[in-house]
Amino acid sequence: MLHFVPQKELHSGRAADFAAFKIQFNNKELSPIRKSFSIFVKTNTLELLDQISKYIKLDALTEDFFRNETQTKTYAKGELLSQQNTYNRNVYYMEEGLARTYYFEKGKDITTNFYSEGKSFGSIDTIFNNVPSIYTIETLEESTITFCDYKKLEDLCAVSLTSANFSRFLLGNLMTQMSKRISSLQHMTAKEKYAQLLDENPNIILRAPLGMIASYLGISQETLSRIRSEI
């Protein structure tokens, strides 16, 4: 069964949660036979539309978009959904698994965010400014992700008020969460950022390498180890 769970308050101060809503799947009903990785899996479109309609009043054009323009794909651990210096206007929804965004600085990759189940993400710089993204998006686990081309949704906005409202809803949340992330980097201590990360992703320590977590927090692994021992 597919469930949409409304996001907690947008102004809760959380920096990493890019989700406008959470998506949860009963694994027994969404269990494709995986002969290989990076395979497409089928989803129940009618069920998806039924759940979305609980929060957004859908018109025929928007329903048709969700039926025909969204895809669900299972990625292997370590696959790149998007690479630095490329144009990628897809918007992603993590159904099951874990991914991160990162960029390179002085030869090191710096993690900017983690995306676990129910979170939405994409190359924000490309989507908003139509420029090559400075970020790479990578799966950290085998991940099942639903996605669509935001450009196609944007084109639909010209003829569908419902789609325009959904687009604003989605982009507004992406911008709000990006702003929160910047605010946390500027105003929170390393210990506060770590506590926030655990609050948003309670099992992140078991799922992501400590080096990535340290770079996300803007600290060394030694400092991270000290903070972990104090909490």
Side-chain angles (χ1 to χ4, degrees):
M1 184 68 178
L2 173 65
H3 299 284
F4 281 75
V5 181
Q7 185 189 10
K8 294 183 179 180
E9 293 183 13
L10 290 178
H11 300 289
S12 62
R14 296 182 174 184
D17 189 357
F18 269 47
F21 41 77
K22 290 190 175 182
I23 307 173
Q24 299 175 341
F25 282 89
N26 181 321
N27 292 329
K28 293 182 180 179
E29 293 185 12
L30 187 63
S31 55
I33 299 175
R34 296 173 179 175
K35 295 182 180 178
S36 63
F37 292 109
S38 290
I39 60 174
F40 285 93
V41 297
K42 294 182 179 179
T43 58
N44 188 331
T45 303
L46 293 177
E47 186 175 309
L48 175 64
L49 290 172
D50 180 62
Q51 295 298 325
I52 293 175
S53 66
K54 293 179 180 180
Y55 305 98
I56 300 171
K57 186 176 181 180
L58 299 175
D59 60 11
L61 289 173
T62 308
E63 287 190 10
D64 184 67
F65 176 86
F66 279 103
R67 292 177 193 274
N68 298 306
E69 300 297 341
T70 60
Q71 301 178 73
T72 300
K73 186 176 180 180
T74 297
Y75 295 86
K77 176 181 178 180
E79 283 202 52
L80 301 182
L81 281 66
S82 182
Q83 297 190 55
Q84 185 179 20
N85 297 322
T86 62
Y87 291 84
N88 183 345
R89 293 177 66 84
N90 285 341
V91 179
Y92 301 92
Y93 303 88
M94 180 64 73
E95 296 172 5
E96 183 179 2
L98 182 68
R100 68 162 179 153
T101 51
Y102 67 93
Y103 66 94
F104 287 98
E105 182 177 276
K106 297 180 180 179
K108 296 183 178 180
D109 68 79
I110 308 298
T111 298
T112 58
N113 232 317
F114 294 103
Y115 307 101
S116 54
E117 290 78 6
K119 295 185 178 179
S120 58
F121 54 99
S123 300
I124 298 177
D125 43 359
T126 299
I127 291 172
F128 279 96
N129 299 318
N130 196 33
V131 297
S133 180
I134 66 171
Y135 303 105
T136 295
I137 304 175
E138 174 190 28
T139 57
L140 299 181
E141 301 173 351
E142 182 182 336
S143 302
T144 300
I145 301 170
T146 296
F147 61 94
C148 69
D149 183 346
Y150 179 75
K151 180 62 169 62
K152 293 182 178 180
L153 176 62
E154 195 174 47
D155 292 341
L156 185 61
C157 293
V159 294
S160 170
L161 178 60
T162 298
S163 297
N165 288 336
F166 177 74
S167 175
R168 286 194 292 267
F169 176 72
L170 176 61
L171 293 183
N173 276 275
L174 292 177
M175 285 298 294
T176 298
Q177 298 306 325
M178 182 175 66
S179 175
K180 289 178 180 178
R181 170 64 173 151
I182 293 172
S183 179
S184 71
L185 291 173
Q186 292 178 332
H187 304 296
M188 297 177 70
T189 65
K191 184 178 292 187
E192 290 171 336
K193 286 185 289 186
Y194 179 67
Q196 182 185 72
L197 177 63
L198 292 183
D199 184 46
E200 295 163 352
N201 300 277
N203 59 353
I204 191 67
I205 292 296
L206 302 177
R207 302 176 70 179
L210 292 181
M212 293 181 185
I213 295 174
S215 72
Y216 169 78
L217 299 172
I219 59 178
S220 66
Q221 284 191 240
E222 291 75 17
T223 300
L224 175 59
S225 297
R226 185 175 69 251
I227 292 173
R228 291 180 63 198
S229 67
E230 296 173 353
I231 293 181

